[in-house]
Amino acid sequence: NYFYFRRQDQFLQAVYNEVVKNPEIACKCKFNDYIKPIIEIGGADPIKVLDPFSKRFKKNNITVKIYEKNQFFRGNIINDFLNIFHIDLDENFFFIKNNPNPHLSAVALEIIRRFNNYEVSNRKKLNEIIRNIIGELYIETVFSEHNIISTHEKQHLLNMFSKSNSIVAREYLGDETGLLFKEKIQMS
């Protein structure tokens, strides 16, 4: 049983980014309204996610990984995941240069969210047109920081989960510092 955890502010912004830009979901609500039920059910709390599995499969049968570039084996998620199974990529393997799933800037995301409030016959086509128009507002870098919310709001989210994060760092990763995520919040 393998679990990747992402810093909560980045995880919640990434999920929100997906539900807004995905034409099949076309989320219309604002960020805080969307994340509230996720937080309430414990979807961003690593202890609440891990507890049912640790009870069923025992803690020593669970591997926790951190979704941060600097904590990945060889600096990427593919190598990190394959390393779990002792699979090593050779020099013949190449990574796609462009990001197949770019996240949107806060401005681009808000434009699409507002368009999501309109009923249209072909939302997928509308989103494609919007993306072409606002294309330069995309952020293509895979590990660039999401900036849907302020630095203060990001810190608030991390503070909400600091105890749980510390427990996971200590109990699942053996990190006595209790620091689950090493990357610092970038100022927005």
Side-chain angles (χ1 to χ4, degrees), residues 163-177:
K163 184 177 179 182
S164 183
N165 289 347
S166 183
I167 291 169
V168 170
R170 285 184 169 87
E171 293 184 10
Y172 287 86
L173 298 175
D175 186 335
E176 290 306 315
T177 67

Side-chain angles (χ1 to χ4, degrees), residues 5 8 45-48 50-51 54 59 64 161-181:
F5 288 103
Q8 285 87 357
D45 186 324
I47 286 295
K48 288 183 179 174
L50 290 170
D51 269 351
S54 66
K59 196 180 288 186
V64 169
F161 300 104
S162 63
K163 184 177 179 182
S164 183
N165 289 347
S166 183
I167 291 169
V168 170
R170 285 184 169 87
E171 293 184 10
Y172 287 86
L173 298 175
D175 186 335
E176 290 306 315
T177 67
L179 191 60
L180 188 61
F181 303 106

